[in-house]
Amino acid sequence: MTGTRRSDRRPADGSPVARVCVDVPLAHLDRPFDYLVPAELDAVAASGVRVKVRFAGQLVDGWLLERADDSGHTGRLAYLEKVVSPEPVLAPEIARLARAVADRYAGSLADVLRLAVPPRHARVEKEPHAPASPPAPLDPPEAAGWRAYPAGPAFLRALTDGRPARAVWSALPGEDWPARYAEAVAATVAGGRGAVVVVPDARDLDRLDAALTAALGPGRHVTLAAAAGPARRYRAFLAARRGDVAVVAGTRAAMFAPVHRLGLVAIVDDGDDLHAEPRAPYPHAREVLLTRAQLANAAALVGGYARSAEAQLLVETGWAREVVADRATLRARTPAIAPTGDDPQLARDPGAATARLPSLAWAAARDAVRADAPVLVQVPRRGYLPSVSCADCRAPARCPHCAGPLALPSADGPPTCRWCGRVAAAYACPECGGRRLRAAVTGARRTAEELGRAFPGVPVRTSGREEVLTTVPGGAGLVVATPGAEPIAEGGYGAVLLLDSWALLTRADLRAGEEALRRWLAAAALARPAAAGGRVVVVADGALAPVQALLRWDAAWFAARELAERRELGFPPAVRMASVTGPADAVADLLAEARLPEGAEVLGPVPADGDRERMLVRVPRARAAALAGALHVAAGVRAARKAADPVRLQVDPLSMF
């Protein structure tokens, strides 16, 4: 679709100006550029198509955002060189969303569009396509599964009516969450609108795909995941963009899916770190979906067994309503949960405080095997970085100045903050007054072999990085799984053992307690109810807040507590925080150039990976946009100066060290 000779070109008669986002990852070029549409490309140069243009003497890719009658540019405009394809892959609403996401994360529009629009697959585009006939109307689904939650049926009715209901859902133990999400999607489709659902990984996507097929019937939805391969992913993307399907489910690749008449955005287990995009500008799927809900006046569903502090903030600010079960229903569905570190257990088993598998856990596993029931053993995956905790009470050691995590840079050196870099030579534990520090334990390596010797004749299976099991039989057996890789057992597990809790609780991470509870709840939810003999044993002190939340199955209480503490200490999501990482001179140069908003607090520097360092900037949430804008402008100034050393900007990073 190239044009004619340049000397013969003339502008199109109507709306001859094309506003183009050029695919150039430079912050100071983050704006549309105007080009003339040649007459020979008038018919195909529509909003949303891919184009090629001359930029700084080179032929570069771009997206045609819109056409206009005139340009604000006073100089001479260049012509579009080529329309790559007449397929309008960039929907106007996705372009607006991409701009909002770029602004929120101090990034550029081109970076976000590379995430939003998958690479072109010419063969798939050329496949025969006939406009899909309107599907038969879908009846609203039965709300039987949602009746366990008092607000559940009303939420489904709001979806059917097209109202922008926003819910934070806490799932019951043993809940068939794919079926509940599929019912919410079916209610939305019955109301004549579309839906986007994002899950953490491919295993969750397979379960949701099956549930959507059962609830909607064939041909009404597609799955979108980066791991599906270029052709399959692009085919699913085009099906949504052309309006052939009303529902898209996928991993974080689906957060920008161009669904027509969007009525619902939903995310499963928003605390999972797989929802965080590792490419610039590093958006989180939850924030992208909530932005979509706001822009499209659509409903939103944030759900899972656990609840993140960000989800709790939605509830406390009134943006969303919580959907939870009453206590009677919860008690009937919850397995019997016991810690090994409380006083009664210590009285019976004095070694429980230090044993990796105390007698209570052995007894639970033995009883389940004797009852011909499977046993799940969750062990933290290898590779966690040990942090520093009090040697007496094991409370995580925090910096007295900024409350960041302390670390021991050397065997004989004083503890140093990972955030602000200050030395805490006179550290005293605020919980017990102790002054001795210790490194947290790490995960086990031979758990499966140890259990195999302890339970001869009982099959032992492992599920983890090398091989992730989806399901296991319901008979006697031992399953050793890393967090997130727990298979579903037929009829539920008779016992669930949560080992090496300190490897999770004392991680050098702001979200250590929240993450530990999230992973424990996900495993404990696979156990049978207490009435059916289901037991959960957590090898931890029962007085700890995450353990208390597990014992009561009260993720909302822990999330509210966590959010209150973060407000007091000035941690996200109570504040907005940005991470600036790079060579020391480059970081200092960018921060010196940035006009940070009033009240901004700069923490650091602290060592990062390699020879780089990191600075943190935090501001009140009301100044979040000003912070992102200031950092983006400063990055643009450095890019215009052609600064050699790159600097990575992350707003609200999942990990801040």
Side-chain angles (χ1 to χ4, degrees):
M1 294 186 182
T2 57
T4 59
R5 291 183 304 171
R6 294 188 182 184
S7 59
D8 297 334
R9 283 185 166 182
R10 63 177 181 83
D13 293 332
S15 301
V17 177
R19 296 205 165 95
V20 177
C21 172
V22 294
D23 191 4
V24 177
L26 294 174
H28 68 295
L29 301 177
D30 183 29
R31 60 181 179 85
F33 290 86
D34 289 351
Y35 289 83
L36 286 177
V37 179
E40 67 272 15
L41 298 182
D42 187 18
V44 293
S47 297
V49 300
R50 304 177 201 259
V51 296
K52 285 189 177 293
V53 296
R54 289 283 171 186
F55 192 84
Q58 295 182 329
L59 193 64
V60 299
D61 294 322
W63 292 271
L64 200 163
L65 301 178
E66 62 177 345
R67 290 181 59 170
D69 294 332
D70 50 36
S71 170
H73 181 66
T74 56
R76 184 184 176 203
L77 296 181
Y79 281 97
L80 295 180
E81 290 293 327
K82 181 180 181 180
V83 172
V84 176
S85 165
E87 191 76 46
V89 292
L90 179 60
E93 60 270 21
I94 300 302
R96 290 192 295 272
L97 172 67
R99 181 69 269 172
V101 171
D103 292 342
R104 188 218 185 280
Y105 285 96
S108 66
L109 178 61
D111 283 339
V112 179
L113 290 181
R114 279 195 297 273
L115 302 176
V117 183
R120 179 176 181 249
H121 199 285
R123 179 174 56 81
V124 172
E125 269 191 9
K126 295 176 182 177
E127 291 175 351
H129 173 258
S133 56
L138 191 69
D139 293 331
E142 293 291 332
W146 285 94
R147 290 198 181 100
Y149 311 88
F155 177 64
L156 289 194
R157 287 195 299 272
L159 296 179
T160 303
D161 295 341
R163 288 180 277 133
R166 281 84 184 255
V168 173
W169 173 49
S170 296
L172 285 164
E175 181 64 88
D176 185 3
W177 64 261
R180 303 292 83 77
Y181 273 84
E183 289 161 1
V185 169
T188 305
V189 174
R193 304 185 74 179
V196 173
V197 186
V198 175
V199 298
D201 55 37
R203 191 176 63 152
D204 292 329
L205 182 57
D206 289 341
R207 294 183 62 191
L208 181 61
D209 182 25
L212 287 172
T213 301
L216 304 176
R220 288 183 183 264
H221 80 282
V222 292
T223 59
L224 190 60
R232 183 178 172 187
R233 179 186 177 189
Y234 197 60
R235 188 176 294 111
F237 172 84
L238 288 182
R241 178 68 186 96
R242 293 166 175 172
D244 295 340
V245 294
V247 177
V248 175
T251 54
R252 65 173 181 268
M255 59 185 169
F256 292 102
V259 170
H260 293 206
R261 287 179 50 80
L262 184 66
L264 171 68
V265 297
I267 186 168
V268 178
D269 196 10
D270 69 296
D272 195 309
D273 57 7
L274 292 176
H275 286 304
E277 174 59 54
R279 293 172 292 175
Y282 317 104
H284 194 285
R286 176 190 56 244
E287 303 306 319
V288 173
L289 292 176
L290 296 181
T291 302
R292 292 193 73 171
Q294 196 74 20
L295 293 176
N297 196 32
L301 174 60
V302 179
Y305 298 114
R307 182 182 295 185
S308 65
E310 287 79 5
Q312 180 64 23
L313 184 63
L314 298 177
V315 173
E316 293 189 9
T317 57
W319 195 88
R321 179 181 177 182
E322 64 178 359
V323 177
V324 297
D326 58 64
R327 297 305 298 178
T329 303
L330 181 60
R331 284 193 292 269
R333 297 272 291 268
T334 306
I337 307 175
T340 61
D342 57 0
D343 291 339
Q345 289 301 325
L346 291 175
R348 288 192 292 268
D349 181 9
T354 56
R356 182 158 182 268
L357 198 63
S359 58
L360 179 65
W362 281 111
R366 182 193 62 227
D367 293 346
V369 169
R370 287 177 177 175
D372 197 30
V375 177
L376 173 64
V377 182
Q378 185 196 70
V379 292
R381 69 168 56 92
R382 296 169 56 191
Y384 285 129
L385 293 175
S387 61
V388 175
S389 60
C390 175
D392 298 323
C393 70
R394 294 190 178 183
R398 296 284 183 182
C399 173
H401 174 72
C402 73
L406 295 182
L408 292 172
S410 62
D412 55 355
T416 303
C417 179
R418 287 177 178 261
W419 284 11
C420 68
R422 286 178 169 82
V423 174
Y427 175 80
C429 176
E431 300 293 333
C432 69
R435 293 184 176 274
R436 296 182 303 118
L437 298 175
R438 67 188 297 276
V441 298
T442 56
R445 298 180 179 179
R446 299 187 301 271
T447 302
E449 290 85 347
E450 294 171 359
L451 292 173
R453 290 192 295 268
F455 293 90
V458 177
V460 180
R461 301 176 178 87
T462 59
S463 181
R465 179 178 300 177
E466 289 77 14
E467 181 185 8
V468 177
L469 303 177
T470 302
T471 59
V472 293
L478 297 168
V479 180
V480 180
T482 55
E486 301 91 350
I488 299 173
E490 183 181 352
Y493 288 98
V496 174
L497 311 182
L498 307 172
L499 305 187
D500 297 339
S501 60
W502 289 107
L504 290 173
L505 291 172
T506 60
R507 289 174 60 198
D509 195 291
L510 169 66
R511 305 173 187 273
E514 181 182 289
E515 180 70 0
L517 178 60
R518 186 183 72 82
R519 297 187 173 197
W520 291 344
L521 290 173
L526 303 178
R528 299 171 180 176
R535 300 175 65 185
V536 175
V537 177
V538 54
V539 183
D541 184 354
L544 298 173
V547 182
Q548 281 291 307
L550 174 66
L551 298 180
R552 302 199 300 264
W553 203 276
D554 196 348
W557 168 80
F558 182 78
R561 183 180 186 275
E562 189 80 0
L563 182 58
E565 289 185 355
R566 295 190 196 179
R567 283 196 180 104
E568 181 179 352
L569 297 173
F571 289 162
V575 300
R576 188 61 52 83
M577 189 170 281
S579 168
V580 185
T581 308
D585 292 343
V587 171
D589 178 46
L590 185 141
L591 290 177
E593 193 67 51
R595 296 184 178 180
L596 298 178
E598 182 181 354
E601 183 181 4
V602 180
L603 305 175
V606 294
D609 53 298
D611 58 350
R612 303 189 302 167
E613 70 177 26
R614 177 176 292 114
M615 299 280 281
L616 297 174
V617 185
R618 70 179 161 194
V619 297
R621 289 184 62 87
R623 296 187 175 92
L627 173 62
L631 293 177
H632 184 55
V633 170
V637 171
R638 295 190 75 248
R641 292 203 314 252
K642 298 183 179 180
D645 295 325
V647 174
R648 183 175 65 188
L649 295 176
Q650 289 181 274
V651 176
D652 288 346
L654 206 60
S655 177
M656 287 177 283
F657 38 85

